[in-house]
């Protein structure tokens, strides 16, 4: 029987379990990546594991998120990351070198290898035939320490691409189309594999765009075959040695199959406040635009910016629009400078930003009150831009550039396809380890708070009840006010849920901890483990939801919070804010919970493995490892 791309890679990396869909497996991780906003925690966890140096082929620590330094905190984080990388043998991509996923795709991706990253958009490297998975920092720390990564053997979805994209339609529209079909819940515990004739017309960065936003489907990963196009990319990156060919077998078996005709795709937008709220641009034409932002790990390649320059050439940005552009990497930045593209962008009146995540994570560039902001990014969650009244639409760089000129949403400016057959500039800012620095710890870098072992008799109150598709941005917001505290859990816990319920922390303190009640797909979005760690710090014992997003569920377990689902979804209606819930755990995977406030009972279930249970009983993975003793 033939194998899919995913199965081929998993087979080569399988440490335990067998490749039956839905079964628990563990795989060997070849490479890891972290970024600064999740990295400080990941490296504090790595330090707590007590190893001498990392055991992966290599690991890279990026600084790209918290580069707006409006106090000492972020700069202290950078210094900590640089020193800890040196101590453990990790490559350090300093601030200015670019956004982790763009740089990793350019410089470190390898077809057929596994990559675990403490960022949900890690699957971007699937554009070069890697099995790249996002996770919490703890899982990345464990992978660096040589532990296998455990996951459910994913279902595998085949998306066959036919024909070619038309002029004015781009890779971004392809993934928006997939989001329209599968929705933000459609990819949970699945890998999306792309194949077919249409794949050949997409460059590696375009494939990267499609895999990147697979995160918005909730998918474990997304992957393209490694073919002649991939080879060409590796040749230009002077990394031909890292290339190998990789295709799925013709008789491979998939769990779901879709065919998308690229020729039929039209320019699309994801409307507020969800990446799967898709409408064609033709329905949005004429809406007045206040801000346009081009960049992020989704759309910041040389090709994207060359395209934008070809549209902006000879035009000025509309007086009512603020256009910001961030190149994805130092490589892209220096190439657009060399080729005159940067000058065209500057001449148009665009504001050129640092090569980092910037506005995508709310680090600056919050739009004006009630703004319509067009972004080439991947997330338009409520409040993520930093302006609660703003409406963010996600579009391709083509639509973004055209609308910046006109001041309203449009798709009808003539432009020529850019010539992207140019040489790459390979001078990156990676610092190689010397194993000689002492770890530098500024005053804002606090130890990871400890959790108590679980008391199996739980009688506590509901601290918050939320609806469907709650993101980790709702739970633990980002932005310039909050991100400086990513290495200080006590301080960051002030902000848990604060944009949707400013009394949450107060209630947790009053009730001495308790429960979160969630709807479907609870914890979608970012991999930030702070969305589990800070609630743990506030005494949350269990989240009872209709269903969970993959990464967040694992993060809850890692920090000793039980992820329960309602056996009957309608029992969600039996619980309200402030209710007192009581249960005793005899069988972890099924409990009867008594709601003492209305005297009604309901069942909650979980699919925890024996190891997950032991981790939760210990009060989290760090206690579990401490108790067990590292081999
Ligand atoms: C994001 O896009 O939300 C982030 C910021 O990159 C996160 C990681 C984080 O919260 O630090 C992600 O996607 O995992
Ligand atoms: Fe950075 Fe935005 Fe990409 Fe997250 S989605 S890694 S914040 S650019």
């Amino acid at each position: 029987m033939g194998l899919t791309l995913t199965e081929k890679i998993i087979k080569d990396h399988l440490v335990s379990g067998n490749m039956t869909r839905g079964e628990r497996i563990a795989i060997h991780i070849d490479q890891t990546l972290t970024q600064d906003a999740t990295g400080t925690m990941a490296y504090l966890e790595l330090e707590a594991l007590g190893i001498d140096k990392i055991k992966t082929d290599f690991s890279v620590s990026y600084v790209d998120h918290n580069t707006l330094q409006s106090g000492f905190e972020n700069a202290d984080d950078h210094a900590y990351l640089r020193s800890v990388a040196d101590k453990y043998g990790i490559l350090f991509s300093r601030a200015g070198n670019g956004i982790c996923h763009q740089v990793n795709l350019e410089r470190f991706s390898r077809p057929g290898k596994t990559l675990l990253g403490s960022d949900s958009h890690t699957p971007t490297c699937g554009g070069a035939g890697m099995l790249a998975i996002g996770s919490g920092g703890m899982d990345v720390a464990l992978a660096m320490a040589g532990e296998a990564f455990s996951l459910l053997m994913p279902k595998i979805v085949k998306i066959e691409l036919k024909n070619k994209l038309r002029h004015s339609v781009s890779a971004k529209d392809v993934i928006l189309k997939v989001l329209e079909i599968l929705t933000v819940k459609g990819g949970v515990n699945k890998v999306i594999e792309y194949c077919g004739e249409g794949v050949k017309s997409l460059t590696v960065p375009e494939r990267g765009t499609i895999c990147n936003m697979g995160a918005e489907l909730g998918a474990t990963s997304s992957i393209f075959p490694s073919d002649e196009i991939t080879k060409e990319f590796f040749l230009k990156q002077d990394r031909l040695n890292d290339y190998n060919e990789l295709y799925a077998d013709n008789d491979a078996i998939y769990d779901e199959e879709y065919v998308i005709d690229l020729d039929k795709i039209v320019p699309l937008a994801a409307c507020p406040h969800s990446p799967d709220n898709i409408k064609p641009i033709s329905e949005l034409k004429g809406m007045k635009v206040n801000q346009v932002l081009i960049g992020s790990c989704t759309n910041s390649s040389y090709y994207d910016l060359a395209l934008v320059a070809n549209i902006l050439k000879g035009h000025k940005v509309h007086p009512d629009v603020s256009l910001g552009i961030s190149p994805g990497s130092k490589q892209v930045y220096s190439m657009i400078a060399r080729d005159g593209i940067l000058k065209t962008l500057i001449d148009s009146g665009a504001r050129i930003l640092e090569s980092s995540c910037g506005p995508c994570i709310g680090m600056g560039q919050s739009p004006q009150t009630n703004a319509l902001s067009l972004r080439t990014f991947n997330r338009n969650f409520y409040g993520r831009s930093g302006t609660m009244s703003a409406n963010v639409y996600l579009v391709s760089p083509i639509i973004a550039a055209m609308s910046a000129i006109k001041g309203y949403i449009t798709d009808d400016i003539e432009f020529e396809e850019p010539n992207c057959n140019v040489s790459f500039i390979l001078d990156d800012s990676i610092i190689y380890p010397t194993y000689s620095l002492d770890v530098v710890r500024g005053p804002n870098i606090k130890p990871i708070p400890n959790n108590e072992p679980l008391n199996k008799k739980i009688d506590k109150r509901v601290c918050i009840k939320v609806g469907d598709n709650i993101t980790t941005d709702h739970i633990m917001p980002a932005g310039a006010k909050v991100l400086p505290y990513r290495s200080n859990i006590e301080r960051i816990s002030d902000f848990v849920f604060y944009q949707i319920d400013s009394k949450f922390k107060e209630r947790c303190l009053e009730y001495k901890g308790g429960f979160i009640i969630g709807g479907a797909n609870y914890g979608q979005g970012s991999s930030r483990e702070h969305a589990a760690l800070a609630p743990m710090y506030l005494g949350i014992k269990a989240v009872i939801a209709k269903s969970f997003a993959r990464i967040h569920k694992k993060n809850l377990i890692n920090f000793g919070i039980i992820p329960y689902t309602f056996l009957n979804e309608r029992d969600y209606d039996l619980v309200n804010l402030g209710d007192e819930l009581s249960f005793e755990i005899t069988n972890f995977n099924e409990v009867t919970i008594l709601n003492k406030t209305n005297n009604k009972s309901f069942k909650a279930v979980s699919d925890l493995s024996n190891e997950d249970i032991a981790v939760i009983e210990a009060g989290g993975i760090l206690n579990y490892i401490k108790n067990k003793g590292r081999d």
Side-chain angles (χ1 to χ4, degrees):
M1 192 183 72
L3 297 179
T4 63
L5 277 173
T6 312
E7 286 170 316
K8 286 189 178 180
I9 302 177
I10 291 183
K11 189 169 167 228
D12 278 356
H13 291 83
L14 200 61
V15 174
S16 68
N18 67 62
M19 296 200 299
T20 311
R21 317 291 213 247
E23 268 197 24
R24 193 169 291 271
I25 54 169
I27 56 172
H28 174 76
I29 297 297
D30 299 317
Q31 304 176 13
T32 66
L33 71 78
T34 55
Q35 41 86 343
D36 49 322
T38 55
T40 45
M41 226 9 99
Y43 294 111
L44 286 167
E45 288 153 357
L46 182 71
E47 288 188 279
L49 293 177
I51 58 158
D52 297 338
K53 58 177 181 193
I54 54 150
K55 306 218 163 73
T56 44
D57 291 354
F58 60 84
S59 291
V60 191
S61 169
Y62 291 90
V63 176
D64 54 358
H65 280 61
N66 300 347
T67 56
L68 200 68
Q69 292 152 226
S70 48
F72 64 92
E73 293 89 350
N74 292 339
D76 278 9
D77 280 354
H78 304 171
Y80 167 72
L81 290 169
R82 151 108 172 92
S83 59
V84 93
D86 189 79
K87 175 170 175 190
Y88 288 96
I90 295 157
L91 308 186
F92 183 65
S93 173
R94 67 193 304 172
N97 196 44
I99 307 174
C100 53
H101 309 303
Q102 174 70 23
V103 178
N104 220 75
L105 183 66
E106 290 166 356
R107 306 303 301 148
F108 300 112
S109 57
R110 288 193 65 177
K113 295 281 181 183
T114 53
L115 166 70
L116 194 71
S118 62
D119 191 284
S120 61
H121 291 102
T122 301
T124 311
C125 282
M130 264 193 123
L131 185 63
I133 302 178
S135 74
M138 187 71 229
D139 290 323
V140 175
L142 287 166
M144 286 190 275
E147 302 279 338
F149 174 65
S150 96
L151 72 163
L152 297 181
M153 176 67 199
K155 289 192 173 159
I156 301 162
V157 179
K158 171 181 176 183
I159 300 193
E160 184 187 341
L161 303 178
K162 278 176 39 187
N163 294 318
K164 266 179 155 175
L165 290 170
R166 282 186 280 143
H167 183 67
S168 281
V169 185
S170 69
K172 178 59 153 268
D173 300 303
V174 177
I175 185 63
L176 292 179
K177 184 77 205 165
V178 178
L179 271 153
E180 182 181 56
I181 300 169
L182 292 179
T183 81
V184 292
K185 299 196 279 266
V188 178
N189 294 326
K190 297 176 190 167
V191 174
I192 318 292
E193 285 197 10
Y194 292 87
C195 62
E197 198 60 18
V199 162
K200 295 201 188 116
S201 62
L202 298 168
T203 61
V204 169
E206 289 176 295
R207 297 173 183 187
T209 297
I210 294 172
C211 291
N212 174 281
M213 274 191 88
E216 276 52 66
L217 300 164
T220 303
S221 194
S222 298
I223 188 166
F224 275 78
S226 171
D227 57 9
E228 282 303 306
I229 307 278
T230 324
K231 188 173 182 185
E232 176 73 25
F233 179 77
F234 277 81
L235 184 68
K236 286 197 165 166
Q237 294 288 356
D238 196 20
R239 296 206 290 124
L240 203 51
N241 285 342
D242 291 344
Y243 169 78
N244 56 285
E245 194 181 89
L246 191 65
Y247 289 98
D249 293 329
N250 287 334
D251 54 345
I253 297 178
Y254 297 89
D255 299 273
E256 289 168 45
E257 298 192 18
Y258 301 87
V259 178
I260 294 182
D261 186 347
L262 296 180
D263 184 47
K264 299 237 160 59
I265 297 186
V266 295
L268 298 169
C271 303
H273 296 284
S274 180
D276 63 356
N277 186 12
I278 307 295
K279 289 210 170 96
I281 291 297
S282 57
E283 280 182 29
L284 306 170
K285 266 188 180 172
M287 288 173 76
K288 192 169 160 43
V289 172
N290 307 96
Q291 182 187 50
V292 176
L293 292 170
I294 297 173
S296 91
C297 56
T298 316
N299 277 115
S300 55
S301 66
Y302 178 84
Y303 172 71
D304 284 331
L305 301 190
L307 204 55
V308 166
N310 272 14
I311 296 168
L312 292 178
K313 205 177 286 164
H315 295 283
K316 293 281 179 224
V317 174
H318 189 278
D320 294 341
V321 175
S322 168
L323 168 64
I325 301 178
S326 20
S329 65
K330 182 181 173 205
Q331 178 178 90
V332 171
Y333 217 147
S334 42
M335 284 165 66
I336 63 168
R338 178 194 65 192
D339 298 344
I341 293 169
L342 182 58
K343 175 146 188 350
T344 308
L345 304 180
I346 296 171
D347 287 350
S348 75
R351 303 165 65 178
I352 310 300
L353 308 174
E354 195 179 1
S355 185
S356 68
C357 301
C360 179
I361 190 59
M363 273 289 185
Q365 300 285 321
S366 294
Q368 70 193 68
T369 306
N370 297 328
L372 190 156
S373 176
L374 281 190
R375 301 175 167 211
T376 67
F377 306 168
N378 46 38
R379 290 187 171 146
N380 57 349
F381 300 148
Y382 176 66
R384 185 171 159 109
S385 69
T387 302
M388 302 313 284
S389 63
N391 283 311
V392 176
Y393 290 73
L394 307 175
V395 296
S396 71
I398 299 176
I399 299 300
M402 290 182 181
S403 309
I405 297 169
K406 294 280 187 181
Y408 53 81
I409 298 182
T410 184
D411 65 352
D412 38 43
I413 292 182
E414 294 293 317
F415 70 98
E416 270 176 31
E417 281 292 322
N419 167 22
C420 289
N421 195 9
V422 296
S423 62
F424 289 174
I425 295 178
L426 303 175
D427 169 34
D428 53 30
S429 293
I430 299 284
I431 300 175
Y432 287 82
T434 62
Y435 301 93
S436 64
L437 295 185
D438 290 330
V439 176
V440 181
R441 248 176 269 272
N444 184 47
I445 296 171
K446 301 276 194 247
I448 310 164
N450 201 13
N451 195 16
E452 298 292 308
L454 180 78
N455 179 350
K456 290 195 187 156
K457 228 170 148 193
I458 309 182
D459 194 321
K460 294 221 170 271
R461 295 178 68 184
V462 173
C463 299
I464 191 169
K465 180 176 179 183
V466 291
D468 291 349
N469 292 325
I470 285 294
T471 70
T472 46
D473 277 80
H474 290 108
I475 307 169
M476 187 73 263
K481 278 191 220 124
V482 187
L483 281 170
Y485 303 114
R486 282 287 180 97
S487 35
N488 182 345
I489 296 301
E490 183 184 339
R491 183 73 178 81
I492 210 170
S493 71
D494 290 349
F495 299 94
V496 181
F497 282 119
Y498 88 117
Q499 288 173 335
I500 55 170
D501 179 353
S502 58
K503 296 272 182 297
F504 175 77
K505 179 166 182 178
E506 224 174 279
R507 234 177 273 125
C508 289
L509 297 180
E510 187 195 329
Y511 299 170
K512 300 203 169 49
F515 306 106
I516 293 171
I517 304 296
N521 200 25
Y522 180 82
Q524 68 158 327
S526 154
S527 66
R528 61 191 71 150
E529 54 192 353
H530 305 75
L533 246 171
M536 173 210 95
Y537 177 76
L538 296 175
I540 295 298
K541 300 294 172 210
V543 179
I544 312 168
K546 291 184 185 168
S547 64
F548 288 91
R550 175 188 63 88
I551 303 178
H552 187 59
K553 183 173 171 187
K554 188 89 183 280
N555 287 341
L556 289 172
I557 297 168
N558 281 348
F559 294 102
I561 298 179
I562 317 173
Y564 272 133
T565 47
F566 291 99
L567 182 62
N568 294 312
E569 280 198 3
R570 56 179 186 280
D571 290 344
Y572 170 87
D573 298 331
L574 294 181
V575 195
N576 289 309
L577 178 65
D579 284 0
E580 189 180 343
L581 307 184
S582 171
F583 59 98
E584 186 166 356
I585 302 170
T586 43
N587 166 10
F588 247 95
N589 284 339
E590 182 168 321
V591 288
T592 302
I593 300 182
L594 170 67
N595 184 343
K596 286 184 163 174
T597 310
N598 59 14
N599 212 15
K600 300 229 161 86
S601 295
F602 62 92
K603 283 206 161 113
V605 290
S606 72
D607 57 358
L608 301 169
S609 68
N610 290 340
E611 188 172 42
D612 294 339
I613 293 173
V615 166
I616 291 175
E617 282 179 334
I621 199 148
L622 284 175
N623 291 350
Y624 169 75
I625 288 171
K626 231 177 281 158
N627 299 345
K628 195 171 88 156
R630 281 194 57 76
D631 337 299

